[in-house]
Amino acid sequence: MFLSVFEMFKVGIGPSSSHTMGPMVAAGRFLDLLRAAPFAAEGLRAHLYGSLAFTGVGHATDRAVILGLAGFLPESYEAEAAEAALAANRDSGRLEPPGLPPMAFDPRSDLRFDFGPALPGHANGMVLEALDAQGDVILAETYYSVGGGFVLTADELARGADKAKGAPVPYPFKSAAEMLEMAQASGRSIAGMKRENELTRHGPAELDRGTRRIWQVMRDCIDRGLAHDGTLPGGLGVKRRAKGIHDALLAERGRNLSAPHVVNDWISVYAMAVNEENAAGGQVVTAPTNGAAGVVPAVIRYWLDHVPGATERKVEDFLLTAAAIGGLVKYNASISGAEAGCQAEVGSASAMAAAGLCAVLGGTPEQIENAAEIALEHHLGMTCDPVKGLVQVPCIERNGLGAIKAVSAASLALRGDGTHFVPLDACIETMRQTGADMSEKYKETALGGLAVNVPNC
C-alpha cells in the first residue's frame, strides 16, 4: 500500500478538500473525457448528492463545480481569473474551458442539488453530464469525492482503486503492526522507510523540493491568517480571531508572570490562523483535509518557534512520518467527515501531527505509533456538524484543540518506552466502525448537532 506524501499533503483552496477541491478535480476529469470524445457537446449539467447537496453551498461546492467546468484546478487556482470566469458565466450562461468549444451552463437550472438519498458509493457523490443541442445526455460520469481531495469514478471505486497498492515499494506496510515490524527488521525510522518508498516515485531533489514547498505554503498560510482580521464570508458573521490573539500574545511575551498554559494559546492560534484562511477560501494544504488543515502546520510551527533545538532540516521527517500515519488511516478507515465524522478529519490530523512531532523529538517507531494512537483515540466519536454547512463553527477552534492534543500525545508517548495497551491498528478500526455506526445527520450534512442547536442566520 502506497500513498505519497504529496497525496496526503496537497496544495489547494478552501474551504473544503472534499466539497471544494474534490468537485473541482472531478469537473476537470470530466473535461478531459470531453476532449477525448468524438463529438462536441453543446451544454453541461451537474447533479450533487448526499453531503455535497446538503452542505454544498456552505462549502462552495457550487462555485467549485462551475470553476472546474471552466477549466480551473486547485493546484493552479488564480483568484482574480476565477472571479472573472464566474462573472462571465453569469453574463453569458456559457462556459469556455480550454481546448473545448463554448458550452451552455446556467447554474440556476444546470447545477442541481438532490436532497434525496446519497449515491451508493460514498456520501459525497456527483454526476456530470454533457448535452447535445436538444438537451439530451450524450456523455455522463459519476464521481465520488472521498476525502482529502481524492476523487474516484464509480467504476474506480467499485474496482477498489482507493485500495490499490500501485507499483512495489521497499516497505509496503499497510498496518501499524507491519510498519513496526519493518522498522525493527530494517533498523530504519518510519520517516526513513517512507522516504525510501517515495524515492521509487520521485527523485531525491524532487522529494526535497516538494516537501519544502508543502511547508512553505503551510507557513505562508499561518502568516496570512495571523495578519488579517475582519468577518469571514458565509453569513454567520464569524469574526477572525487569530490576529487579535496573536497580537496579544506578542504583547505579553517576556513577562515573568505568564502562566505555563499560555503555550496552548500559541498552538491554537497557529491552527486557527490556517482555518480562518481556509474558511475565507484561501490557499491551504490538505493535512489530510482542508477542514483539518490547521493541525499539522500548527504543531510544526510550535515545534520550530517554541522548542529548543528545532530545525527546519527535520521538517521533511515530520511530514514523511505524518504522511505514513495518514496513509494507514485512509487505507484502513477514512479521512472523510462525510463518511465517518470529524474523528476522521481532525482526529486523523491530530494523530499525524502527534507522530510527526514525536519523530522529530527523537521518538522510536514504537513511541511514534503510541503518540498517533493516543491522539486518535481521544477523538473517537467526534461528529461533523458544521453550522450552516460552513467550515467555521466548530471547525476553526476544533483544529486548535486537535493540535494541543497532538502535542500532549507526543509528550506522553515520549515519557514511555512505546509499550501501551491499545494498538494504533485497533484504534483505526474502532474509528472505522464508529463512523459506520454514526447517524448520517452527524456526518457533514448540517442536519444534527451544533448545526441545528445554535442560531445560524
Side-chain angles (χ1 to χ4, degrees):
M1 190 279 295
F2 177 77
L3 281 170
S4 173
V5 64
F6 303 122
E7 293 178 286
M8 296 307 301
F9 298 110
K10 295 189 286 289
V11 177
I13 56 168
S16 172
S17 49
S18 59
H19 288 58
T20 314
M21 288 174 59
M24 189 178 289
V25 169
R29 291 186 62 180
F30 190 67
L31 292 181
D32 288 339
L33 284 182
L34 281 176
R35 293 185 184 106
F39 45 77
E42 298 287 336
L44 297 166
R45 192 159 59 207
H47 303 261
L48 304 177
Y49 297 87
S51 181
L52 292 184
F54 284 106
T55 61
V57 173
H59 287 67
T61 307
D62 47 354
R63 175 188 172 96
V65 170
I66 298 167
L67 290 174
L69 291 174
F72 287 80
L73 291 171
E75 62 269 21
S76 57
Y77 179 83
E78 295 181 5
E80 289 187 9
E83 292 303 325
L86 290 169
N89 174 248
R90 285 193 296 269
D91 292 341
S92 68
R94 302 180 73 78
L95 293 172
E96 300 184 23
L100 288 165
M103 291 173 283
F105 186 84
D106 183 346
R108 293 169 297 181
S109 56
D110 295 322
L111 183 54
R112 302 179 178 183
F113 292 79
D114 190 316
F115 298 105
L119 295 178
H122 191 275
N124 294 330
M126 59 189 295
V127 176
L128 298 178
E129 298 171 336
L131 313 174
D132 63 16
Q134 288 72 45
D136 294 327
V137 176
I138 53 176
L139 180 68
E141 184 61 89
T142 299
Y143 296 96
Y144 292 105
S145 180
V146 297
F150 291 89
V151 173
L152 297 169
T153 66
D155 181 62
E156 288 168 342
L157 190 64
R159 289 189 285 106
D162 57 328
K163 306 294 185 184
K165 297 179 180 179
V169 294
Y171 301 98
F173 52 85
K174 59 181 183 295
S175 68
E178 291 180 356
M179 179 181 72
L180 293 179
E181 289 171 5
M182 292 179 190
Q184 185 174 33
S186 67
R188 291 185 179 273
S189 66
I190 293 171
M193 294 191 299
K194 181 65 174 167
R195 183 176 292 107
E196 290 300 310
N197 288 349
E198 293 289 339
L199 291 175
T200 66
R201 308 294 200 271
H202 318 284
E206 182 185 0
L207 179 61
D208 178 64
R209 284 194 304 271
T211 53
R212 280 191 286 111
R213 180 173 185 250
I214 288 169
W215 169 235
Q216 187 61 56
V217 174
M218 287 178 169
R219 179 184 278 280
D220 289 347
C221 186
I222 293 174
D223 289 342
R224 288 195 307 274
L226 296 177
H228 290 93
D229 52 19
T231 301
L232 292 171
L236 282 182
V238 173
K239 295 187 181 302
R240 287 181 180 247
R241 299 164 56 200
K243 182 180 185 300
I245 295 171
H246 186 242
D247 289 347
L249 287 169
L250 288 175
E252 294 168 7
R253 238 178 184 173
R255 294 184 184 176
N256 293 331
L257 297 179
S258 293
H261 65 251
V262 170
V263 73
N264 288 332
D265 298 344
W266 284 98
I267 298 168
S268 292
V269 79
Y270 296 143
M272 291 171 65
V274 172
N275 284 86
E276 286 177 356
E277 280 295 293
N278 179 63
Q283 186 182 61
V284 298
V285 176
T286 64
T289 67
N290 282 29
V295 178
V296 169
V299 174
I300 297 177
R301 183 71 171 263
Y302 157 75
W303 169 64
L304 288 172
D305 289 5
H306 300 267
V307 178
T311 169
E312 288 203 354
R313 291 194 305 274
K314 289 187 177 181
V315 169
E316 182 174 282
D317 284 349
F318 191 116
L319 292 173
L320 290 171
T321 304
I325 299 302
L328 293 178
V329 176
K330 185 179 187 305
Y331 182 79
N332 294 296
S334 176
I335 58 170
S336 167
E339 188 172 24
C342 197
Q343 60 173 354
E345 296 207 26
V346 170
S348 298
S350 187
M352 292 165 64
L357 181 60
C358 189
V360 297
L361 291 177
T364 65
E366 290 77 15
Q367 289 172 319
I368 292 167
E369 184 261 0
N370 187 14
E373 185 278 325
I374 294 171
L376 182 59
E377 179 181 352
H378 298 290
H379 285 88
L380 290 177
M382 183 174 283
T383 60
C384 183
D385 51 355
V387 176
K388 204 179 178 182
L390 299 169
V391 194
Q392 297 180 18
V393 180
C395 320
I396 295 171
E397 286 182 353
R398 189 168 284 175
N399 274 258
L401 274 293
I404 290 171
K405 286 185 183 181
V407 174
S408 297
S411 184
L412 283 173
L414 287 166
R415 295 291 181 182
D417 61 4
T419 58
H420 55 105
F421 192 78
V422 179
L424 176 58
D425 289 330
C427 194
I428 292 172
E429 172 60 15
T430 301
M431 191 258 275
R432 186 196 66 78
Q433 293 175 4
T434 303
D437 292 340
M438 189 181 290
S439 169
E440 293 298 319
K441 68 182 181 180
Y442 297 120
K443 293 194 283 191
E444 209 167 358
T445 59
L447 296 176
L450 289 176
V452 300
N453 286 303
V454 299
N456 60 22
C457 60

